[in-house]
Amino acid sequence: MQIREENHGDTLVTIVEGHLDSATAGEFETHLLGRIEEGRRAFVVDCADLDYINSAGLKAFLIAGKKLEPIGGRIVLCALATNVQMVFELTGFDNLFTIKASRAEALASFS
Amino acid sequence: MRASLAFRLILLVGAPAVTLFLLVVILSSIRSREHVMAETEVSSLNLARYHAQRLETVLDRASVVAEMIATEMEISPKRNEEILNRYLGGVVASKDFIYGSCIAFEPFTFDPGKELVAPYFYWKDGRPEFVQLGNPEYNYPRWDWYRLPKQADRPLWSEPYFDEGGGETIMITYSVPFRKDGAFGGIATIDIAMSELTSEVEEIRVGKRGYAFVISQQGRFLAFPEKSQIMKRSLQEFDMALAQRMTAGQEGFVHARGPLRMESVWTAFAPIRAGNLSLAIVYPADEIMAGAFRLQRELLLLGGVGLLALCGAIIVIVRSISRPISQLAQAAQRVAGGDLDLEISHQTRTAEVRHLTDAFRKMTSDLKRRIEELRSATAARERIEGELQAARKIQMSILPRDIPVEAERREIRMHAHIQPAREVGGDFYDAHAVDEDSLAFWIGDVSGKGVPAALYMAVTTTLVKSHTAGHRSPAAVLSTVNRELCANRTTGMFVTLFYGLLNCRTGALVYCNAGHYAPFVVSRDGARRRLAGRGGMALGANVNARYNNHEVPLQPGEMVFCFTDGVTEALDARRAFYDEARLEEVLGKCAALDPAEVTRCVLDDLRAFTGSVEQADDITVLALRYCGTKANAAGNSPEADSERTAEIAPG
């Protein structure tokens, strides 16, 4: 699992590659929480290269989301693969997080 | 022993110290002996010079008289023999320290008519006595005392001789030539008796057995402690080298062979120029050396004692330093052997040893403490493991192995199996009879594994169970449980849950799926479908989540199969997923079997798939077959009748 970042003004685009499972979700969670601690509020998570996610990965998103909500922050996901989309739909987290098809749309949703 | 600190220190410190000490002692003893010898040399040489000088003075005084006479003959010749004799007699009479004097004229020079003129006066019986030596019998010109100085044309001392007068007196003659009218005129002589001189020398005593002697210009003894040797023996017979040096008129201090006792001696000698004599003072070597060697011996003895003291001191000091160290070393060995309670109590003044002891004590006590901590940590860990085992038992006991007694029904057969990834897990299931007709059942999966998931799981399943009786609508149950889970919860934990309510009379199944995998419905003939319809979001994620029910009628013989993602997301060695497709296929194969066998079938296939890969997530399966009542049992397979017995499938 690799994490890359790009800045678009106030929005932090985080690119996740590989698997988000029990082994790697912890690292991802620590990373997101760290950015929130630094003061970032607007997140776009680009899942174009995310191959797999399970409940551990979902947990990371959930914790980050719960931390952002009281301080007016937001996470928008984009470019989800079909199987990843299914997991979000299955657990109903597609209603919890905004999911866009492309990064451009995701960025646009912040302005 | 060789390598011990004490031994090595003593050796390393002692060897150079002892060597240096010995070196200093030996060198200084040698130097002191040499010093004594040098002192002896100086003082004995001075003594020899002193005595030689005394003799020389006497002889000089006498020789001056001869010079005087010769000069008188040259500047004031006597007219006749009577005047001549009177003159000479007067000289001799006035000088009692000479034995005799003679003036011998060259033939025909005093009186052309007379060939031999040689008046001679000598002391006899206290009066000067006259003898005319100019007679043909004596014929003085042929004698050495006349001839040699005439030839040499200078004054000469004769070799000492015995007086012809019959006495045992040793005489020596000094002959001085004089000139007349530019040519050789004659010889003036002085005879000196040497007895007084020699007796003075013979009385010289040095040390215990030291003595002195005088030799003539030919080396014959003139004065000697053993009187029989006088004039008979010469020094050359005893020590040639010494004789050569002494007759050559040298002075010195040499080692020689003593002429008196033929022993090893040291001799200080000095010349007596008047008379061409030489005087020697003799010291027996052992007497001289005795003093020097005694000093040297004393020094060596002192040195030896000092050396012993030095060695003793070194040993004592080294021991006193090394003993605490060797004690510490022994103690260290005992501690290393396991005796951690050893007390190190000895005191020492050496700072480094004290530091070492302190450090050692501290290390030992630290070690003891660490061992204690480790022991208690290990004990604690074993306790936790024991408690985890107990927790697993408790958790497993929460989950019904068998269908709960109150849910026991003729119309259904149910079997469930759970296999946690660790000692305790996050999957759960349960079944509960709501009323006479209805059976509530659910399967759930807490996000995560281990103790946190287990706790969350216990809470959730208890909540669900508590609300089961109160609500007929699965959606309502889940909605309530969700609100309660979300209250006061800021963790990211959530739980997916499938909750179903089966009317055992009619076969109507109402269900609400909160984020869980849609269960399969499998009919006896192998046909499979999924229980579609999302009931709502996973529980515990959002307090405002909404839930809704779905309904489906079950035909008798149809089986509901529920599972968690531990099944579908199991990995094999090539990291491929087990996947729903494969699960579906297995279900199709064992569709007609008993729920107990169905679950076993699925689990076996799963195990075959994963092989030796370690289980990553909790695995849970639940199979529930609606058998139908007697009333709608038509269409059941013959096995349905045997199932009518309320057999409970063991879990």
Side-chain angles (χ1 to χ4, degrees), chain B residues 59 125 140 255 269 273 316 325 343 347 360 383 400 453 467 478 499 504 511 546 557 624 636 642:
Chain B
L59 293 170
D125 300 332
Y140 62 81
H255 189 242
F269 55 93
R273 268 168 293 272
V316 165
I325 294 179
E343 284 284 321
Q347 302 297 326
F360 193 77
R383 255 201 322 276
H467 289 294
L478 297 197
Y499 184 101
C504 298
Y511 62 90
R546 314 285 285 268
L624 168 66
N636 277 0
S642 65

Side-chain angles (χ1 to χ4, degrees), chain B residues 294-490:
Chain B
R294 189 173 52 246
L295 183 59
Q296 189 174 18
R297 251 202 317 281
E298 280 173 8
L299 270 175
L300 284 174
L301 196 67
L302 201 64
V305 168
L307 189 66
L308 280 174
L310 182 67
C311 287
I314 288 178
I315 288 176
V316 165
I317 291 171
V318 164
R319 280 261 170 78
S320 83
I321 291 178
S322 74
R323 198 181 316 116
I325 294 179
S326 67
Q327 278 176 340
L328 192 60
Q330 276 178 5
Q333 274 181 315
R334 298 245 294 278
V335 170
D339 183 0
L340 284 178
D341 292 316
L342 186 66
E343 284 284 321
I344 302 172
S345 60
H346 40 263
Q347 302 297 326
T348 172
R349 274 203 293 272
T350 313
E352 288 85 347
V353 177
R354 229 194 358 258
H355 295 161
L356 203 60
T357 312
D358 289 345
F360 193 77
R361 270 204 210 102
K362 182 171 179 309
M363 284 198 298
T364 310
S365 71
D366 279 356
L367 190 62
K368 265 174 72 172
R369 199 159 32 82
R370 291 257 181 274
I371 290 178
E372 277 310 311
E373 282 172 13
L374 195 62
R375 226 180 262 145
S376 55
T378 308
R381 192 160 45 82
E382 282 167 0
R383 255 201 322 276
I384 287 179
E385 269 172 21
E387 276 166 18
L388 276 178
Q389 291 295 335
R392 181 190 190 163
K393 286 205 185 85
I394 292 172
Q395 195 181 41
M396 290 300 105
S397 71
I398 290 178
L399 303 170
R401 302 307 228 111
D402 311 326
I403 306 296
V405 174
E406 59 266 30
E408 180 187 302
R409 293 233 170 247
R410 253 171 287 160
E411 297 88 347
I412 55 116
R413 291 176 74 94
M414 181 166 145
H415 185 259
H417 186 82
I418 188 167
Q419 200 173 290
R422 296 188 198 170
E423 289 91 342
V424 288
D427 283 4
F428 60 98
Y429 64 86
D430 209 345
H432 189 230
V434 178
D435 58 31
E436 277 179 15
D437 298 330
S438 308
L439 174 75
F441 68 96
W442 59 94
I443 184 169
D445 182 0
V446 175
S447 65
K449 294 186 283 291
V451 171
L455 291 173
Y456 204 82
M457 162 267 196
V459 165
T460 309
T461 203
T462 311
L463 276 176
V464 171
K465 194 160 183 170
S466 69
H467 289 294
T468 298
H471 304 272
R472 304 236 39 153
S473 155
V477 172
L478 297 197
S479 187
T480 314
V481 171
N482 179 58
R483 272 202 301 280
E484 284 178 1
L485 283 177
C486 286
N488 299 327
R489 215 134 292 155
T490 53

Side-chain angles (χ1 to χ4, degrees), chain B residues 567-645:
Chain B
V567 174
T568 48
E569 296 184 5
L571 290 168
D572 72 352
R574 282 170 296 134
R575 296 188 65 80
F577 288 123
Y578 184 76
D579 222 359
E580 292 177 359
R582 185 160 165 153
L583 176 63
E584 216 180 301
E585 205 181 310
V586 173
L587 286 175
K589 283 205 203 106
C590 48
L593 297 172
D594 231 24
E597 277 141 38
V598 170
T599 55
R600 195 171 307 134
C601 204
V602 171
L603 290 174
D604 285 348
D605 191 56
L606 189 57
R607 197 168 302 121
F609 174 80
T610 57
S612 57
V613 176
E614 202 183 321
Q615 181 180 335
D617 201 355
D618 302 339
I619 293 174
T620 312
V621 289
L622 183 148
L624 168 66
R625 172 167 279 124
Y626 173 57
C627 306
T629 60
K630 276 208 185 94
N632 54 19
N636 277 0
S637 64
E639 291 106 82
D641 290 340
S642 65
E643 288 166 9
R644 244 180 253 130
T645 58

Side-chain angles (χ1 to χ4, degrees), chain A residues 22 52 63 66 89-91 94, chain B residues 449 492 515-516 534 538 540 569:
Chain A
S22 330
Y52 169 84
I63 291 182
K66 286 196 175 177
E89 285 170 3
L90 182 64
T91 53
D94 54 341
Chain B
K449 294 186 283 291
H516 201 81
R534 288 170 45 167
E569 296 184 5

